Amino acid sequence: MTNTVYKLCFYVPETHVEEVKNAVFEAGAGRIGDYDCCAFQTLGEGQFRPLDGSRPFLGEQGRVERVAEYKVEMICLESQLRAALAALRLAHPYEEPAIDLWPLTPLPDSPA
């Protein structure tokens, strides 16, 4: 396993943002140097339509639902990635949480 750093981004309803963030932090994500619990979050509006066979946390099958959600971004080392994703999915209220993941290119060293 490498020390690749990933940017982890997920969307979570306002009602569960702290619970989900804390679960992901406890799994090791959101650490930068001598700091932990590092994240950026933006409030917005998400939408989705539950299809047949779904078990939606919010809304009804066949009807578009709009909800206040936070977009939460943080970094995660590859060595903590599986645990962070498992914690996120376990704590998240949605049946299918929206998750984005990008490998990051290391920053060049700072000038002397």
Side-chain angles (χ1 to χ4, degrees):
M1 183 154 309
T2 67
N3 282 333
T4 302
V5 177
Y6 287 84
K7 182 176 225 181
L8 173 60
C9 173
F10 57 91
Y11 301 82
V12 61
E14 231 177 345
T15 56
H16 289 73
V17 67
E18 293 304 319
E19 178 182 342
V20 175
K21 279 191 322 188
N22 287 333
V24 178
F25 291 150
E26 287 177 24
R31 293 177 188 246
I32 301 174
D34 291 334
Y35 297 85
D36 70 358
C37 299
C38 301
F40 186 82
Q41 60 191 42
T42 309
L43 183 59
E45 182 180 79
Q47 78 169 48
F48 54 89
R49 180 173 56 192
L51 301 175
D52 289 344
S54 65
R55 292 173 290 140
F57 172 72
L58 298 168
E60 301 173 21
Q61 289 180 348
R63 188 173 196 192
V64 173
E65 179 73 22
R66 290 179 175 81
V67 62
E69 293 180 325
Y70 276 95
K71 175 183 181 183
V72 180
E73 301 174 70
M74 62 183 71
I75 63 166
C76 186
L77 291 175
E78 185 173 12
S79 58
Q80 273 88 39
L81 195 54
R82 286 191 187 277
L85 290 170
L88 191 162
R89 287 184 176 111
L90 188 62
H92 203 291
Y94 291 174
E95 187 175 18
E96 299 285 346
I99 301 169
D100 299 327
L101 189 63
W102 299 280
L104 299 179
T105 302
L107 294 172
D109 291 334
S110 300

